[in-house]
Amino acid sequence: MTEATPDDDWAAQIEVQRRAKREHFRDSGRSPLPASMRGDAFPGLAYFDPDPKYRFVVPLHEHDEKETVTIETTADGEQTYRRWGEFRFEVDGESVALQAYRPTDGSDRFWVPFRDETNGETTYGTGRYIDLEPDRDRVDGEWVLDLNVAYNPTCAYNHAYECPLIPTENWLDVAVEAGEKDFPAEPAGADH
């Protein structure tokens, strides 16, 4: 396991992605926010500053048996994934592991959801997600696992969306002060 040494424009690339997401949420008709929360009423999105200590180049330790798991959702539904492998790394001197899941639709991307000690404080209460694409995130047989790109599920912004919950095996006992912070407004459809 190594902490990745980002190239010079690494943080700038993250900022470009964040700016594009803000613009999409504020201006797009396909935004997960209702029209009443777009445009001038858009409350914004909040992020931790990019920090290279949360960016790792690590192998994926594939499981011998790639078990199909059922994951509950925020709307009392279920989704199925295959538990494909495990990433092992250190956060602030603590050894941690995150399971990587593949959708059962046959795609080759990975979903790496997690909860950590910031949830319910500075980040969304039920956890955050990372998506890994082989063409983008795989380097020399290892994966760039960048916690700086962790994002909130759509249900953090609008309760009309159904989101998979974080499996307990991906609950971390450390604070991950990287990626997206909690939405700075009440989610659309929130009961008051």
Side-chain angles (χ1 to χ4, degrees), residues 64-147:
D64 291 335
E65 292 189 29
K66 294 165 178 69
E67 178 185 357
T68 299
V69 294
T70 300
I71 296 176
E72 294 179 19
T73 69
T74 54
D76 296 325
E78 296 178 339
Q79 294 182 4
T80 57
Y81 293 85
R82 293 182 73 201
R83 184 187 296 113
W84 201 268
E86 177 178 278
F87 291 111
R88 301 173 192 150
F89 54 102
E90 288 186 3
V91 173
D92 292 331
E94 295 286 328
S95 294
V96 297
L98 287 175
Q99 298 298 313
Y101 304 90
R102 271 205 172 139
T104 54
D105 65 7
S107 67
D108 60 356
R109 65 183 171 84
F110 287 110
W111 178 59
V112 184
F114 69 95
R115 286 182 60 136
D116 68 277
E117 293 295 312
T118 67
N119 295 130
E121 301 292 327
T122 54
T123 63
Y124 182 55
T126 60
R128 295 175 287 162
Y129 303 161
I130 296 173
D131 296 321
L132 297 177
E133 300 281 351
D135 294 343
R136 180 190 67 205
D137 303 305
R138 194 171 165 103
V139 179
D140 297 328
E142 294 189 311
W143 292 85
V144 177
L145 181 66
D146 190 348
L147 304 179

Side-chain angles (χ1 to χ4, degrees), residues 11 134 148 183:
N148 291 285
F183 184 47

